[in-house]
Amino acid sequence: MTRPQDDPQRLLAAYDAQLREQAEMVSATSVDRAGPLWRGKFGDRGFVSYRTLDGYNGAALDDLIAQTVEHYRADGQIASAEWKTRGHDGPPELADRLRAHGFEPEEPETVMVGEAVLLAGDVALPAGVRLRRIDNVPNPYPEVVKAAAAQARAFGVAFGVEDAMRRLERNADLLELWIAETATEVVCVGRLEVVAHSEFAGLWGGGTVPDWRGQGIYRALTAARAQSALARGVRYLHSDCTAASRPILERSGLVPVTTTMPYIWHQ
């Protein structure tokens, strides 16, 4: 029997109501509106959000996409733009029309949502490993450099140090950076991003370096972020996760509610 706190439809309704449109534009450098779309610019990256495309199909949908491409093309600083689709959205023709305008699909991910309290239990760490926030230290820059190196080992791609520092400066009250470390190295990283004016926070960038996987470190880092979120008054946690991280988050208490696939346009 599904518990009320695990009901996917209830969690999806909360996700749709609180995490789309303006909520996805919090750290944007500029935002404009076009019909149902919120079109943000985040430095050299564009991002498209919306709640629904009801009423847009055929020529109307085609025109909306074409206008958006021109909007980003006209800005010489924009290198790429993402149109984020969700599996429960329509219209069915959206994917084909995005491709026709030069948007290329990336790998699909599962949208996970759950009550923060379900993820906040204590998880034992291997001997010699400790968890720590690095965004609230007097000088976070060298800590962020070490975290970026660990993420490069975990994913093969590091997050940009300078971009992370800019985001910390703009959203210091909403963003937490967490690491798991030994006496000699960072072995796991992850972010908590509180969504302003909502009941949500996001779990992002979580990854463990290969030599330390399978020892519960990622689960422990997730639990620590959940505890911090609860202390802030957050009710729900969410994450877009790969096939590798979904089982861990699902065991921790998050529920799959839909899928998401980014479509990327390049300047």
Side-chain angles (χ1 to χ4, degrees):
M1 179 181 296
T2 301
R3 298 173 297 178
Q5 62 265 38
D6 294 336
D7 177 28
Q9 291 305 311
R10 182 184 66 83
L11 295 171
L12 179 59
Y15 170 90
D16 276 339
Q18 299 186 48
L19 292 183
R20 302 179 70 166
E21 299 180 316
Q22 187 173 5
E24 294 188 292
M25 300 291 146
V26 172
S27 60
T29 50
S30 68
V31 180
D32 88 307
R33 299 291 309 278
L37 304 183
W38 293 66
R39 302 188 303 202
K41 295 178 182 178
F42 299 75
D44 67 351
R45 182 177 66 89
F47 186 86
V48 177
S49 181
Y50 50 92
R51 174 66 178 83
T52 177
L53 293 177
D54 286 352
Y56 283 84
N57 47 53
L61 178 61
D62 206 54
D63 186 55
L64 189 66
I65 298 170
Q67 288 180 27
T68 298
V69 169
E70 288 308 311
H71 169 72
Y72 288 120
R73 180 177 283 134
D75 188 329
Q77 293 185 335
I78 294 295
S80 64
E82 174 182 343
W83 186 302
K84 184 173 183 176
T85 67
R86 273 83 170 189
H88 65 291
D89 284 347
E93 66 197 273
L94 176 60
D96 288 340
R97 293 193 179 274
L98 285 172
R99 288 190 184 93
H101 286 277
F103 285 87
E104 300 173 357
E106 294 197 336
E107 290 299 314
E109 295 183 318
T110 302
V111 177
M112 309 286 288
V113 179
E115 300 269 358
V117 68
L118 299 179
L119 284 79
D122 292 328
V123 178
L125 284 164
V129 177
R130 68 166 182 164
L131 306 180
R132 183 165 63 91
R133 272 183 67 181
I134 61 172
D135 59 282
N136 57 355
V137 300
N139 180 15
Y141 186 84
E143 304 282 3
V144 172
V145 170
K146 290 189 294 184
Q151 189 174 56
R153 292 169 61 198
F155 295 106
V157 178
F159 61 78
V161 173
E162 301 303 330
D163 180 60
M165 294 303 299
R166 284 193 295 267
R167 293 175 69 184
L168 277 177
E169 291 170 4
R170 288 198 304 265
N171 303 296
D173 294 336
L174 301 175
L175 177 61
E176 298 179 9
L177 302 179
W178 285 78
I179 62 171
E181 63 182 353
T182 68
T184 59
E185 63 177 331
V186 175
V187 299
C188 186
V189 296
R191 305 193 310 275
L192 178 75
E193 296 188 17
V194 178
V195 182
H197 313 300
S198 81
E199 300 175 283
F200 279 85
L203 299 172
W204 303 111
T208 305
V209 302
D211 291 348
W212 286 87
R213 290 174 184 164
Q215 301 184 56
I217 299 173
Y218 178 78
R219 287 189 294 114
L221 198 70
T222 298
R225 287 179 288 169
Q227 292 164 13
S228 186
L230 285 172
R232 289 171 169 265
V234 168
R235 179 177 180 182
Y236 299 111
L237 294 172
H238 75 104
S239 184
D240 296 350
C241 68
T242 63
S245 58
R246 172 177 170 170
I248 300 172
L249 293 175
E250 204 160 9
R251 287 196 300 270
S252 297
L254 293 187
V255 176
V257 297
T258 188
T259 57
T260 180
M261 180 180 289
Y263 282 78
I264 309 297
W265 172 86
H266 295 279
Q267 183 76 278

